[in-house]
Amino acid sequence: MISADDRPITVLLVEDDPGDVLMTREAFEEYKMRNTLNVVSDGVEALAYLRREGEFADAAVPDLILLDLNLPRRDGREVLAEIKNDPDLCRIPVVVLTTSQAEEDVLRSYQLHANAYVAKPVDFERFISVVKQIDDFFVSVVRLPNRG
């Protein structure tokens, strides 16, 4: 799947669960997505990646962020707040992809300007389907801003 302007997109997955990282990678491979999937495993790494600091100095600016809420070192809610308060990062759509079904997490995520909130299915096939649907929506339906 490629974007409406016919270019692959770069997706940053912020996820500490190796199983969920593997399933997301498998979804990208199974559906032959041309998009690039980059992965960081905690909130500190996510912000360093987005700010292109240290080992991430040459990192591609993502077109879409898939963000878990329950992260080590820096919580996903804090990461979301930093992204949406940063004039250089706030244009990047953020999909909260988390196991939490708590109403306060849903409400807080939208208060922090998440673009979508998706509860991770525990079933492998449903998880793959959800990742594909997110990709389809943000790549085929939505027009993303140019990288900046």
Side-chain angles (χ1 to χ4, degrees):
M1 195 62 56
I2 53 176
S3 64
D5 62 358
D6 201 34
R7 68 174 167 89
I9 68 168
T10 298
V11 178
L12 176 63
L13 174 63
V14 185
E15 174 60 65
D16 64 316
D17 183 315
D20 289 348
V21 170
L22 181 62
M23 285 194 296
T24 305
R25 286 191 192 283
E26 287 182 15
F28 272 63
E29 290 169 15
E30 183 173 324
Y31 290 104
K32 310 273 189 279
M33 298 174 192
R34 282 183 28 204
N35 304 326
T36 302
L37 180 67
N38 296 312
V39 180
V40 295
S41 60
D42 65 52
V44 171
E45 281 187 356
L47 292 170
Y49 179 102
L50 291 166
R51 293 179 176 138
R52 302 171 83 186
E53 297 170 345
E55 67 181 287
F56 302 108
D58 297 325
V61 176
D63 298 292
L64 175 65
I65 300 168
L66 302 178
L67 177 67
D68 187 20
L69 289 183
N70 302 311
L71 297 168
R73 299 205 307 160
R74 193 96 188 250
D75 184 81
R77 294 156 198 85
E78 294 174 60
V79 173
L80 178 58
E82 293 246 3
I83 291 168
K84 293 304 181 177
N85 285 317
D86 185 315
D88 295 327
L89 303 175
C90 66
R91 65 157 187 82
I92 304 170
V94 178
V95 174
V96 172
L97 183 61
T98 187
T99 54
S100 174
Q101 306 243 5
E103 188 61 30
E104 65 262 14
D105 284 337
V106 176
L107 181 59
R108 183 74 180 130
S109 294
Y110 283 117
Q111 286 172 336
L112 293 170
H113 306 288
N115 296 85
Y117 189 100
V118 179
K120 289 181 201 169
V122 290
D123 171 76
F124 175 75
E125 292 302 321
R126 291 251 325 115
F127 186 92
I128 298 275
S129 175
V130 164
V131 170
K132 182 180 184 315
Q133 288 173 44
I134 292 168
D135 181 77
D136 283 346
F137 181 72
F138 279 96
V139 175
S140 301
V141 177
V142 173
R143 176 151 188 257
L144 295 171
N146 289 328
R147 292 182 182 132

